[in-house]
Amino acid sequence: MTNPMDDAVVSMEQVGGRTLRTAAWRLDMPSDHLPVLFFNGIGANIEAVAPLAAALPERGFIMFDMPGVGESPDPLIPYNPFTMSWTAAQLLDKFGLEQVDVMGVSWGGAMAQHFALQHPGRTRRLTLIATTPGMLMVPGNPAAFTKMADPRRYVDPEFMAKHFKTLYGGMVESAGEDHKASHISRLKPPSPRGYVYQLMCMLGWTSLPALPFMGKETLIMMGDEDQIVPLINGKILAAMIPNSRLITFEGGGHLFLLTHADKSVAAIREFLDAPETDKEAGRAAA
């Protein structure tokens, strides 16, 4: 099986006073499509979502390890969604990217919402995957949350394997592939400080009051068996964001991007390739 990181250009970038391990795919290749800025889940390194970048070869992709996650150095001071959105914008500047399509999964979906609200001029369309409006969310299975808060899920493969179904719900295998094993093999443990600071980042944060003013075409993707982020959170997002639509994956847990990869990629591609709307054209002209 091809390693999706083989085609990535990995570098350590100095941006916003931080050092971030960054991976870029195909940014130097001509394309009819805007590149994608991707925000990952809590404690998750670039490799965890690299298969998605490989599955959309017609687009450039850029993502980075949060401070203290993957191979990014530990943060010296705490950060919040505002400062990390600003840092992400600085990273786009460094790569010469004026506008992007923004995506985020789980914790990263909250970051994607904040980035789109803070930097609307740099965001064309928004894809939210298995995520919530922040603190004002409908919580998932308490057993899943206690396992998620335990950093052993990144350090101890046996712990992760034992509690995988409780953590993520949904299917574990599809098309003959053991997604549990492949996902665990791509993870690198975050540092204790990195993990704690990432948890702290979203304390007290919610996008709910601002979502009615989200002027971006938005795709919301949810799994109906997600143990961490119940489907109702996607319905709340869809009800609050004016130009949004919700897609639900039957039998999908928190990692439906892996277990329902073909359907997920097809939905993302259809959304991003859809013709420009009148509202988008008006904003571009303005």
Side-chain angles (χ1 to χ4, degrees), residues 93-283:
D93 288 342
K94 196 156 192 179
F95 280 81
L97 304 177
E98 183 176 343
Q99 190 179 48
V100 290
D101 286 317
V102 179
M103 294 187 198
V105 61
S106 193
W107 183 95
M111 274 300 309
Q113 292 170 63
H114 191 99
F115 182 91
L117 290 164
Q118 185 174 329
H119 299 284
R122 310 198 72 158
T123 305
R124 186 186 72 117
R125 292 184 177 177
L126 180 63
T127 304
L128 304 177
I129 304 163
T131 193
T132 77
M135 293 295 288
L136 297 180
M137 66 174 286
V138 178
N141 183 342
F145 267 93
T146 57
K147 301 295 186 300
M148 185 180 71
D150 192 328
R152 279 187 298 166
R153 69 186 177 114
Y154 291 108
V155 179
D156 185 352
E158 291 185 6
F159 178 89
M160 174 70 111
K162 179 180 178 181
H163 299 291
F164 195 89
K165 184 73 174 179
T166 301
L167 259 169
Y168 299 113
M171 300 162 54
V172 174
E173 297 184 9
S174 66
E177 183 177 354
D178 182 358
H179 299 287
K180 176 172 67 175
S182 64
H183 181 68
I184 293 172
S185 70
R186 288 193 296 271
L187 295 179
K188 298 179 181 179
S191 73
R193 182 190 295 178
Y195 196 67
V196 169
Y197 278 18
Q198 200 173 4
L199 283 171
M200 290 170 54
C201 175
M202 291 295 174
L203 286 178
W205 180 90
T206 180
S207 60
L208 273 182
L211 290 182
F213 305 100
M214 180 78 77
K216 305 301 176 184
E217 296 293 319
T218 303
L219 174 64
I220 301 157
M221 303 167 65
M222 303 292 292
D224 66 355
E225 295 184 12
D226 193 331
Q227 298 300 296
I228 296 173
V229 182
L231 173 59
I232 183 62
N233 291 285
K235 294 181 177 179
I236 292 171
L237 290 171
M240 296 296 290
I241 300 174
N243 308 307
S244 65
R245 62 188 178 100
L246 170 65
I247 295 179
T248 304
F249 293 87
E250 185 177 351
H254 199 58
L255 299 180
F256 64 79
L257 272 183
L258 299 178
T259 60
H260 298 63
D262 291 344
K263 291 182 179 179
S264 296
V265 169
I268 291 170
R269 182 175 280 123
E270 178 185 6
F271 169 67
L272 295 182
D273 287 351
E276 184 179 56
T277 67
D278 291 340
K279 289 183 178 179
E280 286 176 317
R283 285 195 296 270

Side-chain angles (χ1 to χ4, degrees), residues 47-120:
E47 285 80 358
V49 186
L52 179 62
L56 292 166
E58 72 276 16
R59 286 177 164 78
F61 242 84
I62 184 168
M63 64 178 84
F64 58 91
D65 286 335
M66 295 296 291
V69 174
E71 295 179 23
S72 287
D74 269 358
L76 298 178
I77 57 174
Y79 54 87
N80 57 42
F82 180 88
T83 57
M84 284 314 301
S85 290
W86 177 80
T87 301
Q90 297 290 306
L91 185 64
L92 295 184
D93 288 342
K94 196 156 192 179
F95 280 81
L97 304 177
E98 183 176 343
Q99 190 179 48
V100 290
D101 286 317
V102 179
M103 294 187 198
V105 61
S106 193
W107 183 95
M111 274 300 309
Q113 292 170 63
H114 191 99
F115 182 91
L117 290 164
Q118 185 174 329
H119 299 284

Side-chain angles (χ1 to χ4, degrees), residues 15-75:
V15 283
R18 302 180 188 276
T19 302
L20 299 176
R21 176 178 177 252
T22 303
W25 286 260
R26 301 173 294 274
L27 293 184
D28 58 345
M29 295 176 59
S31 175
D32 295 330
H33 308 281
L34 284 178
V36 171
L37 169 64
F38 195 95
F39 291 98
N40 217 334
I42 192 162
N45 49 287
I46 290 167
E47 285 80 358
V49 186
L52 179 62
L56 292 166
E58 72 276 16
R59 286 177 164 78
F61 242 84
I62 184 168
M63 64 178 84
F64 58 91
D65 286 335
M66 295 296 291
V69 174
E71 295 179 23
S72 287
D74 269 358

